[in-house]
Amino acid sequence: MSCERQLKGAKITGVGYYVPEKILTNADLEKIVDTSDKWIVERSGIRERHISSDDQAASDLAYEASLKALEKSGVKAEELDQIIVGTATSDMLFPATACLLQNMLGAKKAAAYDLTAACSGFIFGVSIADSMISSGKAEKILVVGVELLSRITDYTDRATCVLFGDGAGAAVIESCSPQEGILSTFIKTDGEYTDLLYLPGGGSRNPLTEESIKKGEQYIHMKGSELFKYAVKAMVQAAREALGSVGLGPEDVDFLIPHQANIRIIQGVRKRLKLKKEQVVINIDRMGNTSTASIPIALGELEESNIIKKGNLVLLVAFGGGLTWGSILFRK
Ligand code: UT7
């Protein structure tokens, strides 16, 4: 008798996204810091970003995106086995935003937990969901990437405040036959460079005090140009790993959805992978950098556009603080 485990496949069956109504344009930012629309567009590709209202928290954005993803997939919240929320701006340090979301959705059966992998959180979440489903531990998992970066952005620091936006994206992942859906996943971390992108205050190392707040330690600290150097290299590696592990190459890809951190990073990745402009999904001009939410938002927009067809090969590639990076390759 064989005791070999039968691996199942895992498939994204519904994607939803939500961005807050309020839009902050480059012209708005010109009024609050010493910057210009020209600089922001040329250096980052961003024209506007969505900003949450004061009464919205991560669970609220996640809830809106999740409802849409569930509706698209036809899965009921009560059927979910797990909820994984990637975020660095959870409602509170604990309980996990996933627990709050579980209650809001009425997903009584689901084990719910957060993970923090900065901008790569959604990719890490889908990778875990894929493993859980393919090993038979779960059948239906909701993965959410949500970020309210406006809450941890210093709007007196022109080097960071022009970049970030708020939003949420969600995907329902379900079991399927091994030949369908997700073909490969890749996740990677290099903890040597934690100082390139981090939030110094508010954790157990450095709880917020009057003094630390005066120093601005409640805000994102970023060494942008140093981070830039790693971004293109890491994303290209992630793309090649996911493709290479199943014997495919960039020439097989129909759509690349890169993390939306900077248009120049996206172009660098596109050129190294020798992809055409129309193969790369870009929404950074309208969304800014929404960290872990950027890939599921872009995927949601791609699905809505109807240009993606059944059978298309889609590659999701992220890079972020940690440093963390990774990729998901799937057949639509
Ligand atoms: O999502 C996670 C991953 N994130 C990333 O990978 C981000 C990677 N980094 C970047 O996207 C870019 O480094 C930035 C967009 C953050 C910055 O672009 P850059 O071309 O690397 O600019 P820089 O930081 O080297 O700054 C160049 C100049 C500086 O002036 P000096 O020192 O040359 O006089 C800055 O002070 O641009 C100045 N500058 C600005 N000027 C106008 C920085 N921010 C601004 C601004 N408006 N908003």
Side-chain angles (χ1 to χ4, degrees):
M1 193 179 74
S2 163
C3 57
E4 216 174 83
R5 288 220 229 174
Q6 287 300 308
L7 288 186
K8 293 182 186 173
K11 187 176 180 175
I12 299 175
T13 56
V15 182
Y17 67 93
Y18 170 80
V19 288
E21 264 173 48
K22 186 180 162 195
I23 290 176
L24 184 68
T25 64
N26 289 354
D28 296 329
L29 285 161
E30 280 175 350
K31 290 179 201 139
I32 56 176
V33 282
D34 178 16
T35 190
S36 66
D37 174 59
K38 186 174 181 294
W39 190 96
I40 303 170
V41 173
E42 279 178 13
R43 306 310 295 167
S44 72
I46 301 166
R47 293 181 187 276
E48 56 187 40
R49 63 294 282 147
H50 292 256
I51 302 292
S52 306
S53 57
D54 292 344
D55 61 350
Q56 284 178 311
S59 60
D60 301 312
L61 273 56
Y63 177 67
E64 297 297 334
S66 300
L67 285 183
K68 290 180 192 164
L70 286 166
E71 194 194 327
K72 291 261 166 62
S73 69
V75 169
K76 293 193 183 68
E78 312 87 77
E79 295 176 73
L80 291 171
D81 297 308
Q82 293 192 14
I83 298 175
I84 306 173
V85 175
T87 187
T89 49
S90 46
D91 286 39
M92 22 189 164
L93 277 178
F94 75 92
T97 296
C99 301
L100 305 172
L101 181 62
Q102 186 231 34
N103 188 43
M104 290 160 94
L105 292 170
K108 287 281 179 214
K109 194 174 81 167
Y113 49 98
D114 287 2
L115 67 84
T116 305
C119 306
S120 311
F122 180 77
I123 296 298
F124 275 54
V126 173
S127 174
I128 293 169
D130 175 59
S131 305
M132 287 281 181
I133 290 172
S134 61
S135 64
K137 302 251 185 224
E139 291 272 323
K140 297 175 198 299
I141 300 184
L142 176 70
V143 181
V144 183
V146 56
E147 220 68 273
L148 278 78
L149 293 175
S150 63
R151 294 284 201 275
I152 53 168
T153 295
D154 178 357
Y155 284 95
T156 65
D157 174 19
R158 69 175 184 174
T160 52
C161 76
V162 302
L163 303 172
F164 302 122
D166 300 342
V172 175
I173 325 276
E174 292 184 74
S175 66
C176 63
S177 79
Q179 292 77 28
E180 289 180 276
I182 297 171
L183 303 179
S184 63
T185 66
F186 170 78
I187 54 172
K188 185 92 178 153
T189 297
D190 187 346
E192 202 185 327
Y193 303 100
T194 46
D195 63 327
L196 296 189
L197 182 53
Y198 69 114
L199 188 73
S204 57
R205 173 73 60 199
N206 186 15
L208 286 180
T209 58
E210 228 173 279
E211 199 187 325
S212 66
I213 290 173
K214 265 189 213 145
K215 286 198 247 163
E217 293 181 349
Q218 69 277 37
Y219 296 129
I220 297 172
H221 283 46
M222 184 173 90
K223 294 180 184 155
S225 52
E226 283 181 57
L227 207 52
F228 196 109
K229 282 188 266 175
Y230 294 101
V232 176
K233 216 168 106 187
M235 289 171 80
V236 170
Q237 183 210 5
R240 292 198 186 283
E241 289 281 350
L243 287 161
S245 66
V246 288
L248 297 172
E251 63 283 1
D252 299 304
V253 171
D254 292 296
F255 294 102
L256 169 71
I257 304 184
H259 168 49
Q260 312 279 312
N262 187 312
I263 191 70
R264 292 180 293 136
I265 295 175
I266 297 173
Q267 283 162 352
V269 173
R270 178 180 75 75
K271 283 181 189 152
R272 279 172 184 72
L273 296 176
K274 297 192 171 59
L275 295 175
K276 296 194 196 91
K277 274 189 186 156
E278 55 275 21
Q279 288 177 280
V280 181
V281 181
I282 295 172
N283 64 12
I284 190 170
D285 51 328
R286 293 174 288 112
M287 301 290 171
N289 180 350
T290 58
S291 184
T292 184
S294 87
I295 288 177
I297 293 173
L299 179 59
E301 289 193 331
L302 177 68
E303 297 264 0
E304 275 174 1
S305 73
N306 287 328
I307 56 168
I308 180 167
K309 301 278 177 270
K310 197 167 167 38
N312 280 166
L313 192 66
V314 184
L315 180 59
L316 315 178
V317 181
F319 169 80
L323 304 176
T324 55
W325 62 104
S327 53
I328 306 287
L329 181 69
F330 71 90
R331 181 83 61 196
K332 167 80 180 157

